[in-house]
Amino acid sequence: MKIIDAVWEKRNLGVTCYELQMEAGDCAEDIEKMLETLEERQYMVARVPSARYDLARLCQNKGYSFIEAAITLELNINKMNIPRRLLRICEKCSWEVMDETGLGQLSGEIRKNIFQTDRVYLDPAFTKEQAARRYDLWVGDLVQEGHIPYKVMLNNEVAGFFLNKSISGTVFDGLLAATYDGYEGSGMGYCIQYAAIMSAKERGAEKYMGHVSGNNPAILKVLLSIGFSIKKLEYIFIRHRKENEL
């Protein structure tokens, strides 16, 4: 098990946090001993590999609650298959790196809570404003690192964005993507994904990684329908330290 001191969550959410990354080969007895000696943080996040019921049960016995399934997918770009009726719309889209105006617009859209299925948004211990702020700050960090978001346009109007990065010469990681508030439920999810993948292909990508919460079956359906396959599935458990445990 890897123990990650998620210091960034103090800034993002106002809480100290450990992320516990459990592995498929971990021994449940060893994990239990580590949990017993681990210094408690205000917010604990445990990532449990699928098919490890013993580790999931251990987390529950330690006061952790299940909140989402985290799904990692991968796509061979040359095998991407957009339905023909949607491809005609996707090919009408364009994308370009954001300038300062675009980044400001993106920040405003994120603050409208365009991400509504992740573990922080759904957690009653946090406010919706905190959940949005966390995404906004994350994007700001990525921009500082040189990973600039792209805006996606249809009929000269900005419909959404994506942010991806190279993790090897031919493999790109799709970190974030979303339609903007005015395009929710419009079917633009296909166009956003198409633009993100094609932009990576233009930069030499052959494989594209995607990430989605099990709380978001609509986007999971989109990714599977265009050729993505599931690579990894994790169950996410959380625990908040009670005041009398301080």
Side-chain angles (χ1 to χ4, degrees), residues 76-90:
N76 181 332
I77 292 178
N78 291 326
K79 295 183 178 179
M80 179 173 65
N81 183 28
I82 303 285
R84 185 173 298 179
R85 62 184 177 82
L86 296 170
L87 183 60
R88 289 194 294 268
I89 300 174
C90 291

Side-chain angles (χ1 to χ4, degrees), residues 167-197:
I167 55 176
S168 76
T170 59
V171 181
F172 270 62
D173 194 0
L175 299 176
L176 284 171
T179 55
Y180 281 174
D181 185 57
Y183 288 85
E184 287 254 355
S186 67
M188 279 298 295
Y190 277 98
C191 295
I192 302 298
Q193 294 300 327
Y194 173 83
I197 294 163

Side-chain angles (χ1 to χ4, degrees), residues 71 73 75 81 190 217-230:
I71 305 169
L73 306 98
L75 171 72
N81 183 28
Y190 277 98
I219 294 301
L220 178 59
K221 181 179 179 180
V222 168
L223 296 178
L224 293 175
S225 71
I226 65 178
F228 278 88
S229 59
I230 294 175

